């Protein structure tokens, strides 16, 4: 009997230790810029997004160096986005910048019963979140989008019930389109083009990448009068659910240059901002070649209504805003990638090899 108790105790201690180890994860992320252009003498202005601090992600270290002529870290924009700005004069010299970030993350989950109980109280919206109900240049909340939102949430009065209806409609009426460049542009005007709401509701099947699909969800939720927003960020390493959602080598290293990923949040008074990720459902389906009714898809679909796996870090929520210092081209649609200009020419951040930059991540195991 003592031997059995010892084994059970040992297993319990192992389980508790494993849980504690998985409670948080730490990643060291590096950016290496060596900015190229097709002339010898050229000036460069670079704006690079820096992650925000929150209860589920904490910036433990930020260092940078390079041969820039001027720099600052600022939040001088309407999106409250933190940006590292660097500038090089018009000279025939390499334009180099190295950034190192150490980031601690914790998986983020809001229990469904907590959300439901708060939503049932129908508390008033705080003024601070009301801007996230409004339309933007890429997020319409009227016309066919409003009609579609009303159709999806028909006969529902509870905020969370409306969000659930929109979320599950989105994940069953969207697909990941591998032909779309980068994360997509998230232009809902160009996604929902049907003239009849019943056609959109029954037959709409919208393709895109993560920004497109998250933006569709956000626009429909806003059209229902509920605050919602995109969260632009980047995957950092291995997912414990699927390699489709992040991977690394055996030592926790990954080259993440093209791993930018857009998620979403919605706001329920009494709870706050709640995580969601409708776009990753479509990625799981595509990469693992699964149907929407597959048990693994159903599992992730239910999880990502109210949680995020934090092998990812968020940068900002900005849409259609002006960077600081003001660039030649503005407003910027979003800032999930490095953004740079050579005079009035925008460098293609979807082509990091020609830009050029590389981003890597090393998970630090405790």
């Amino acid at each position: 009997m003592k031997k059995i108790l010892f084994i059970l105790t040992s297993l319990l201690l192992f389980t508790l230790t494993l849980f504690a180890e998985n409670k948080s994860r730490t990643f060291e992320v590096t950016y290496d810029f060596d900015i190229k252009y097709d002339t010898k003498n050229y000036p460069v202005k670079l704006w690079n997004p820096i992650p925000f601090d929150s209860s589920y992600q904490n910036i433990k270290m930020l260092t940078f160096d390079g041969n820039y002529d001027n720099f600052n870290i600022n939040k001088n924009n309407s999106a409250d986005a933190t940006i590292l700005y660097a500038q090089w004069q018009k000279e025939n010299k390499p334009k180099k910048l190295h950034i190192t970030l150490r980031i601690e993350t914790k998986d983020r989950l809001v229990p469904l019963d907590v959300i439901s109980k708060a939503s049932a109280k129908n508390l008033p919206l705080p003024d601070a979140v009301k801007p996230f109900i409004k339309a933007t240049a890429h997020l319409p909340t009227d016309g066919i989008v409003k009609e579609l939102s009303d159709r999806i949430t028909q006969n529902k009065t509870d905020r969370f019930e409306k969000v659930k209806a929109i979320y599950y409609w989105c994940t069953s009426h969207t697909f990941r389109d591998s032909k779309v460049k980068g994360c997509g542009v998230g232009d809902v005007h160009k996604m929902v083009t049907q003239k009849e709401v019943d056609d959109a509701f029954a037959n709409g099947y919208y393709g895109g990448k993560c920004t497109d699909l998250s933006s569709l969800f956000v626009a429909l939720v806003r059209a229902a009068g509920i605050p919602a927003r995109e969260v632009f960020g980047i995957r950092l390493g291995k997912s414990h659910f699927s390699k489709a959602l992040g991977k690394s080598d055996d030592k926790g290293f990954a080259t993440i240059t093209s791993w930018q990923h857009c998620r979403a949040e919605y706001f329920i008074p009494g709870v706050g901002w709640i995580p969601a990720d409708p776009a990753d459902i479509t990625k799981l389906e595509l990469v693992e070649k699964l149907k929407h009714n597959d048990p693994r898809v159903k599992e992730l679909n239910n999880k990502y209504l109210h949680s995020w796996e934090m092998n990812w870090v968020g940068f900002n929520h900005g849409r259609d805003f002006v960077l600081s210092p003001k660039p030649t081209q503005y407003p910027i649609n979003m800032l999930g990638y490095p953004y740079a200009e050579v005079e009035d020419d925008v460098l293609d951040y979807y082509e990091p090899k020609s830009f050029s930059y590389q981003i890597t991540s090393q998970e630090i195991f405790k």
Side-chain angles (χ1 to χ4, degrees), residues 295-361:
R296 274 179 60 75
V297 175
K298 288 182 178 179
E299 180 185 357
L300 189 67
N301 202 15
N302 291 332
K303 282 178 180 289
Y304 273 6
L305 168 66
H306 63 120
S307 73
W308 288 342
E309 182 185 6
M310 286 301 294
N311 62 325
W312 170 94
V313 68
F315 296 140
N316 58 73
H317 316 101
R319 292 301 301 268
D320 304 302
F321 68 104
V322 181
L323 300 173
S324 177
K326 185 182 288 186
T328 301
Q329 297 195 21
Y330 61 89
I332 189 170
N333 175 18
M334 57 188 172
L335 190 66
Y337 294 79
Y339 178 84
E341 293 182 346
V342 176
E343 296 179 328
D344 61 351
D345 189 12
V346 177
L347 301 187
D348 188 352
Y349 42 79
Y350 291 139
E351 297 293 340
K353 287 185 179 180
S354 61
F355 189 111
S356 65
Y357 63 90
Q358 183 181 59
I359 313 171
T360 62
S361 175

Side-chain angles (χ1 to χ4, degrees), residues 91-346:
E91 293 182 72
N92 180 16
K93 70 173 185 179
K95 276 72 173 176
K96 293 180 181 285
L97 171 65
H98 177 82
I99 305 170
T100 301
L101 288 155
R102 185 164 293 190
I103 303 161
E104 183 180 54
T105 69
K106 296 178 182 179
D107 282 354
R108 187 181 179 199
L109 180 147
V110 183
L112 291 173
D113 61 334
V114 172
I115 304 172
S116 295
K117 287 176 183 178
S119 186
K121 294 178 181 178
N122 195 30
L123 298 171
L125 292 175
D127 289 341
V129 303
K130 289 180 180 177
F132 296 102
I133 300 177
K134 297 178 181 179
T136 73
H138 292 87
L139 299 174
T141 58
D142 58 1
I144 188 67
V145 172
K146 172 62 174 169
E147 292 177 33
L148 180 56
S149 178
D150 289 346
R151 178 68 179 82
I152 295 169
T153 60
Q154 191 173 19
N155 299 322
K156 299 184 186 303
T157 57
D158 181 273
R159 288 186 180 113
F160 186 45
E161 291 303 314
K162 290 183 178 183
V163 169
K164 283 197 290 186
I166 292 168
Y167 172 86
Y168 286 120
W169 184 91
C170 283
T171 59
S172 62
H173 285 76
T174 55
F175 66 95
R176 184 175 175 85
D177 186 349
S178 57
K179 297 188 297 295
V180 170
K181 202 171 185 180
C183 291
V185 297
D187 191 342
V188 179
H189 288 283
K190 294 182 178 178
M191 294 179 71
V192 185
T193 57
Q194 285 98 336
K195 294 183 180 180
E196 300 295 332
V197 66
D198 286 339
D199 181 30
F201 177 76
N203 305 314
Y205 193 50
Y206 305 103
K209 290 280 186 72
C210 55
T211 299
D212 303 310
L213 308 186
S214 293
S215 294
L216 176 63
F217 169 74
V218 167
L220 290 168
V221 172
R222 287 190 184 190
I226 301 164
R229 62 192 184 186
E230 300 95 330
V231 191
F232 299 96
I234 193 167
R235 300 186 201 273
L236 299 176
K238 180 180 179 180
S239 165
H240 295 303
F241 191 88
S242 170
K243 288 183 179 179
L245 311 180
K247 55 188 177 181
S248 64
D249 68 15
D250 293 340
K251 295 181 180 179
F253 177 82
T255 298
I256 62 171
T257 308
S258 59
W259 287 15
Q260 287 80 8
H261 179 54
C262 174
R263 288 175 154 173
E265 292 177 318
Y266 54 94
F267 188 91
I268 301 295
V271 180
W273 288 106
I274 300 166
D277 193 344
D280 260 357
I281 312 308
T282 65
K283 185 164 189 182
L284 180 70
E285 291 169 345
L286 177 68
V287 175
E288 294 197 3
K289 299 179 181 178
L290 302 174
K291 299 294 185 182
H292 190 67
N293 60 359
D294 185 275
R296 274 179 60 75
V297 175
K298 288 182 178 179
E299 180 185 357
L300 189 67
N301 202 15
N302 291 332
K303 282 178 180 289
Y304 273 6
L305 168 66
H306 63 120
S307 73
W308 288 342
E309 182 185 6
M310 286 301 294
N311 62 325
W312 170 94
V313 68
F315 296 140
N316 58 73
H317 316 101
R319 292 301 301 268
D320 304 302
F321 68 104
V322 181
L323 300 173
S324 177
K326 185 182 288 186
T328 301
Q329 297 195 21
Y330 61 89
I332 189 170
N333 175 18
M334 57 188 172
L335 190 66
Y337 294 79
Y339 178 84
E341 293 182 346
V342 176
E343 296 179 328
D344 61 351
D345 189 12
V346 177

